[in-house]
């Protein structure tokens, strides 16, 4: 039998899917015992799950952890609450500044999702604020936020589609494409911005766009199973499926137009591997790749080659992110986009 390579990921994630007060499973406790409390605490913190674990343990009738473990989680929870308040204030600034200038924009990923699907949003850690504008508005957005005190930090590797705006300990990742241009079969930024919804504190994407981003973005940008792609993203998907009741047909249609059904299937395969949970069968059937590629990609995920090859990103791109596109024409387009971005980035160095 093939060895399961994600017992730690499962132990950190699965208890948070249970209702408050439910005791930790023997498998979970055994994994933590083998690793040791300090190493498990370090992993939970790195995955952005410490505040949620602190909340979960508070409801347990029998507590299997030491006071040192609890103190570490408590400290992370306080830190997360402080960052949350700063980010909430920044969201108000972003909306006020950009709305005043007539710059249509969307806040997406963690700082958006936590307001919808977490009872206490401050417990869902988000390291930065992800902001999407149309390409024609990027310079105006940079200037408007610059006047609000945010300074631009440019990375040659990502300047094709995003840059960072920073102010003290606050970071805004300003995107004018959801991925590197050419990764999607058709441009989607204008559509996502046009279909935005008003969530009072901020402008957010439509439910279908949110789920699209949850399923695709970690696969292409974080290689799905690496340490850069924390399992809190899987928790987001599960809670979204349970609470938001998405239009699965609409999401499938969006993935088809983008040429990224396979990327979404990859994320769901990792979700299945860790939690056993899946969306409706009709949706899974609509987005899954052919049998041969499905077996290949399932093996890649099960063996965690993305992490094992982390020091050789070219091999990951060739063996994983390019096959995450649906057709050969999509792969060719993505390769051309990567090469073009590298040429342009070379001119900035």
């Amino acid at each position: 039998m093939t060895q399961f390579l994600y017992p730690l990921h499962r132990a950190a994630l699965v208890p948070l899917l249970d209702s408050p007060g439910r005791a930790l499973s023997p498998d979970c406790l055994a994994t933590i015992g083998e690793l040791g409390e300090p190493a498990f605490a370090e992993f939970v913190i790195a995955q952005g799950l410490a505040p949620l674990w602190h909340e979960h343990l508070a409801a347990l009738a029998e507590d299997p952890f030491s006071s040192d473990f609890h103190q570490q989680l408590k400290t992370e929870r306080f830190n997360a609450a402080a960052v949350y308040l700063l980010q909430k204030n920044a969201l108000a600034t972003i909306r006020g500044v950009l709305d005043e200038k007539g710059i249509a924009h969307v806040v997406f990923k963690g700082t958006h999702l936590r307001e919808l699907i977490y009872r206490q949003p401050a417990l869902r850690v988000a390291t930065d604020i992800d902001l999407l504008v149309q390409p024609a508005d990027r310079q105006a957005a940079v200037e408007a936020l610059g006047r609000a005190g945010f300074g631009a930090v440019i990375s040659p590797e990502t300047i094709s589609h995003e840059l960072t705006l920073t102010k003290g300990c606050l970071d805004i990742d300003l995107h004018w494409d959801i991925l590197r241009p050419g990764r999607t079969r058709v441009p989607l930024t204008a559509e996502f911005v046009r279909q935005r919804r008003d969530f009072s504190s901020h402008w957010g994407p439509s439910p279908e766009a949110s789920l699209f981003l949850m399923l695709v973005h970690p696969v292409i940008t974080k290689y799905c199973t690496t340490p850069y792609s924390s399992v809190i993203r899987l928790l987001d998907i599960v809670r979204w499926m349970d609470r938001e009741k998405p239009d699965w047909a609409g999401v499938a249609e969006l993935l088809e137009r983008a040429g990224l059904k396979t990327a979404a299937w990859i994320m769901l395969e990792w979700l299945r591997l860790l939690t056993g949970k899946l969306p409706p069968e009709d949706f899974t059937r609509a987005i899954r790749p052919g049998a041969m590629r499905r077996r290949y990609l399932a093996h890649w995920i099960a063996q965690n080659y993305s992490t094992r090859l982390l020091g050789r990103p070219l091999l990951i791109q060739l063996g994983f992110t390019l096959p995450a596109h649906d057709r050969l024409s999509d792969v060719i387009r993505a390769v051309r986009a990567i090469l073009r971005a590298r040429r342009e980035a070379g001119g900035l160095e």
Side-chain angles (χ1 to χ4, degrees):
M1 182 178 294
T2 303
Q3 181 184 9
F4 181 68
L5 299 184
Y6 302 102
L8 184 54
H9 297 74
R10 179 180 284 172
L13 174 63
V14 170
L16 300 179
L17 305 179
D18 293 333
S19 57
R22 184 170 180 177
L24 302 180
S25 71
D27 286 346
C28 177
L29 291 173
T31 298
I32 297 170
E34 291 174 7
L35 185 67
E37 267 192 12
F40 184 69
E42 182 179 343
F43 182 81
V44 166
I45 291 168
Q47 296 290 315
L49 297 173
L52 292 164
W53 261 83
H54 186 266
E55 178 195 40
H56 187 79
L57 293 179
L60 294 184
E62 296 184 10
D63 185 355
F65 297 101
S66 69
S67 59
D68 287 345
F69 184 85
H70 280 277
Q71 186 57 50
Q72 281 185 278
L73 300 189
K74 184 178 181 180
T75 299
E76 293 298 321
R77 182 172 181 172
F78 284 165
N79 291 341
V83 172
Y84 173 75
L85 292 175
L86 290 173
Q87 291 176 336
K88 283 287 284 186
N89 183 65
L91 286 178
T93 299
I94 291 167
R95 176 161 187 164
V97 165
L98 297 186
D99 281 358
E100 181 182 2
K101 294 297 181 181
I103 301 172
H105 61 281
V106 167
V107 174
F108 65 105
K109 294 173 63 176
T111 48
H112 166 64
L113 296 171
R114 65 186 178 190
E115 301 295 334
L116 277 66
I117 57 177
Y118 288 86
R119 185 174 58 84
Q120 296 186 53
L123 299 182
R124 200 293 189 188
V125 173
T127 57
D128 50 39
I129 298 171
D130 287 281
L131 182 65
L132 180 67
V133 299
Q134 299 206 48
D137 290 332
R138 60 185 174 183
Q139 187 58 41
V142 170
E143 292 174 358
L145 291 169
R147 287 191 289 272
F150 288 89
V153 178
I154 296 174
S155 169
E157 295 181 356
T158 58
I159 194 55
S160 63
H161 58 292
E162 68 178 88
L163 59 76
T164 298
L165 297 165
T166 183
K167 179 182 180 182
C169 61
L170 284 168
D171 286 335
I172 301 171
D173 279 353
L174 177 66
H175 305 250
W176 47 94
D177 204 328
I178 58 170
L179 298 165
R180 192 184 302 280
R183 280 289 192 180
T184 57
R185 191 177 292 164
V186 295
L188 294 174
T189 298
E191 177 180 338
F192 284 7
V193 173
R194 185 176 63 253
Q195 295 177 350
R196 65 184 182 157
R197 308 286 179 88
D198 188 347
F199 292 92
S200 182
S201 62
H202 65 281
W203 292 100
S206 70
E208 293 72 36
S210 286
L211 187 52
F212 173 94
L213 291 163
M214 279 189 272
L215 295 176
V216 167
H217 209 272
V219 174
I220 301 299
T221 66
K222 309 293 185 182
Y223 307 144
C224 188
T225 61
T226 69
Y228 304 137
S229 180
S230 63
V231 294
I232 199 169
R233 293 175 171 86
L234 297 178
L235 183 61
D236 290 340
I237 294 171
V238 172
R239 293 196 174 196
W240 187 272
M241 291 193 300
D242 288 344
R243 302 183 187 191
E244 293 300 311
K245 307 303 179 186
D247 175 7
W248 292 105
V251 178
E253 187 272 337
L254 185 55
L255 290 164
E256 169 67 37
R257 286 194 289 117
L260 289 171
K261 293 185 298 181
T262 303
W265 180 87
I266 287 171
M267 193 67 176
L268 291 174
E269 173 62 13
W270 197 36
L271 178 69
R272 183 198 64 78
L273 202 61
L274 265 60
T275 70
K277 294 183 177 293
L278 280 175
E281 185 179 349
D282 287 350
F283 176 78
T284 305
R285 187 165 52 246
I287 68 168
R288 68 187 181 189
M292 184 176 297
R293 188 146 53 116
R294 192 161 67 243
R295 286 193 295 270
Y296 167 75
L297 290 170
H299 177 72
W300 181 287
I301 298 164
Q303 294 301 308
N304 199 8
Y305 285 119
S306 291
T307 298
R308 293 162 68 176
L309 297 173
L310 200 53
R312 307 178 74 178
L314 180 59
L315 291 182
I316 300 176
Q317 291 175 4
L318 291 174
F320 183 63
T321 57
L322 289 180
H325 294 270
D326 293 343
R327 301 175 186 167
L328 178 59
S329 58
D330 297 322
V331 173
I332 293 171
R333 185 192 62 251
V335 170
R336 288 174 174 169
I338 292 169
L339 295 176
R340 181 170 60 252
R342 287 178 177 172
R343 288 196 301 269
E344 294 171 352
L348 295 173
E349 295 176 346

